[in-house]
């Protein structure tokens, strides 16, 4: 009897200890998978360690350097050579919970930026593996473009079976040799929340969107910055053009929580995205656009490999982003999941069961001791 009691007590204690450790680890993983809000980084540390993920395909580089254009301080510099291999050089934050956020940042395209008539994505908010980015900021020719993708209800996430809805907005002319001060107020859509986006450039509203703006996955999209030219991928036929490397600078990245609907655009000032929009992700949407006035637009000659008549490809997230030390799993595998609360509840129940077993064993042992003393 004593041996049975000891064995049961040891099993109960071990179960309780293992569950306690596992529960704490689960909570820690969930915390690490989300970007702290508010988030702020001006790269004055000389590193990009605040951005836990990066994605480089080819020989592009990411490094912190002195900010150009009289900006002062430091900035992160993205370089992508036209070597026939490189098409993406990016860093990214982690995910955030669903809600309303203000994303602000400054970016600088040098004066020697060569015009490219397909898209060069410089900022994107991505939802997860197998999806097009929910929101894209891109340079196309000499114009800034904002592209929004979404799916709702029971629509499949797999883009090969059911393309996402898409709508495009013209945000106005590009200025070279100028620090662009961007602000995006985004309320991420959910099954019960109407999404909205208000884009501002140098303090002036240049575009807005109201309606679905995500894939309603486990967490809201994460923010990527840098350079991405999907049409430069070798398997799409691109070959080295012999042009100078493409360069983009970023500085003063912030994410701040805001009140829901704080910047909801009025119906009179912006086009609306309707869930019935079914434009193919590779075709332009004929919707109305908003534009901003600016001087010194980009007017350089088109670079080799730039095809004015070609359709733009949008990158699908492959989950291949790694951390700055290249020792972490894909970002898509580390995002907080809606199943975490279930896992925590299940773990708590098992923990309670283990503790109950320990207490029950102790109570029986005490009862036996009391009986032996009376005997």
């Amino acid at each position: 009897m004593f041996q049975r009691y000891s064995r049961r007590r040891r099993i109960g204690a071990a179960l309780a200890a293992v569950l306690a450790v596992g529960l704490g680890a689960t909570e820690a993983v969930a915390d690490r998978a989300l970007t702290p809000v508010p988030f702020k980084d001006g790269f004055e540390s000389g590193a990009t360690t605040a951005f836990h993920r990066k994605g480089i395909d080819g020989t592009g580089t990411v490094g912190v350097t002195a900010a150009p254009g009289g900006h002062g301080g430091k900035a992160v510099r993205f370089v992508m050579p036209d070597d026939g291999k490189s098409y993406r050089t990016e860093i990214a934050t982690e995910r955030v919970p669903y809600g309303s956020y203000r994303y602000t940042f400054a970016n600088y395209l040098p004066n020697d930026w060569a015009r490219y008539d397909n898209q060069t994505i410089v900022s994107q908010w991505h939802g997860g593996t197998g999806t097009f980015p929910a929101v894209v900021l891109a340079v196309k020719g000499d114009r800034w473009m904002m592209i929004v993708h979404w799916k709702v209800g029971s629509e499949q996430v797999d883009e090969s079976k059911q393309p996402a809805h898409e709508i495009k907005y013209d945000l106005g002319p590009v200025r070279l040799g100028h620090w662009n001060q961007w602000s995006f107020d985004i309320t991420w859509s959910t099954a019960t929340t109407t999404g909205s986006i208000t884009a501002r450039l140098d303090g002036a509203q240049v575009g807005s969107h109201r309606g679905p703006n995500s894939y309603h996955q486990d967490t809201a999209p994460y923010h990527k910055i840098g350079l991405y030219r999907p049409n430069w991928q070798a398997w799409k036929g691109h070959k080295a053009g012999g042009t100078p490397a493409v360069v983009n600078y970023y500085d003063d990245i912030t994410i701040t929580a805001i009140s829901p609907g704080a910047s909801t655009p009025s119906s009179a000032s912006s086009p609306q995205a309707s869930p019935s929009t079914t434009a193919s992700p590779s075709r332009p949407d004929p919707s109305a656009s908003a534009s901003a006035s600016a001087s010194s637009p980009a007017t350089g000659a088109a670079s080799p490999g730039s095809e004015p008549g070609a359709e733009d490809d949008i990158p699908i997230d492959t989950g291949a982003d790694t951390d700055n030390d290249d020792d972490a799993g894909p970002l898509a595998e580390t995002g907080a999941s809606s199943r975490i609360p279930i896992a925590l509840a299940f773990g708590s129940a098992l923990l309670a069961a283990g503790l109950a077993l320990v207490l029950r064993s102790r109570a029986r042992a005490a009862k036996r001791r009391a009986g032996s003393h009376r005997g």
Side-chain angles (χ1 to χ4, degrees), residues 38-254:
F39 172 89
K40 181 177 182 180
D41 190 25
F43 306 104
E44 295 307 309
S45 67
T48 61
T49 51
F51 294 79
H52 296 164
R53 296 291 182 268
K54 70 178 178 181
I56 297 177
D57 289 279
T59 60
T61 59
V62 180
V64 177
T65 185
H71 186 64
K74 298 176 182 178
V76 61
R77 182 173 184 257
F78 299 91
V79 180
M80 193 169 66
D82 185 11
D83 57 7
K85 301 176 182 178
S86 304
Y87 61 91
R88 178 175 74 131
T89 303
E90 297 177 299
I91 57 176
T93 67
E94 296 285 13
R95 306 171 187 274
V96 295
Y98 279 103
S100 299
Y101 302 93
R102 175 166 294 159
Y103 300 84
T104 66
F105 50 88
N107 87 304
Y108 179 94
L109 305 181
N111 284 311
D112 59 359
W113 175 279
R115 173 175 171 144
Y116 181 71
D117 285 316
N118 296 119
Q119 290 174 2
T120 302
I121 296 173
V122 299
S123 200
Q124 56 177 304
W125 290 261
H126 233 308
T129 301
T131 64
F132 293 151
V135 182
V136 166
L137 174 65
V139 178
K140 181 176 174 64
D142 60 359
R143 310 292 294 183
W144 289 110
M145 301 296 296
M146 180 174 74
I147 307 165
V148 183
H149 296 109
W150 72 90
K151 288 190 174 183
V152 295
S154 60
E155 294 173 329
Q156 299 179 17
V157 172
D158 186 351
E159 302 293 352
S160 65
K161 296 180 179 179
Q162 188 173 23
H165 304 287
E166 179 184 82
I167 190 168
K168 295 183 178 181
Y169 300 93
D170 184 343
L171 303 187
V174 171
R175 297 174 63 187
L176 302 181
H178 167 76
W179 277 98
N180 304 286
Q181 304 293 330
W182 292 99
S183 173
F184 285 80
D185 286 359
I186 302 179
T187 294
W188 294 110
S189 65
T190 68
T192 58
T193 302
T194 300
S196 66
I197 305 171
T198 299
R200 294 183 178 88
L201 174 57
D202 296 335
Q205 182 172 318
V206 292
S208 58
H209 166 93
R210 182 170 174 80
N213 59 13
S214 78
Y215 292 79
H216 301 179
Q217 295 176 300
D218 292 342
T219 58
Y222 56 94
H223 189 197
K224 289 185 176 184
I225 61 174
L227 290 165
Y228 200 139
R229 284 187 172 175
N231 287 35
W232 267 19
Q233 296 180 67
W235 69 270
K236 295 178 181 177
H238 179 73
K239 298 180 180 179
T243 59
V246 183
V247 178
N248 182 22
Y249 294 84
Y250 260 87
D251 199 9
D252 300 329
I253 319 296
T254 70

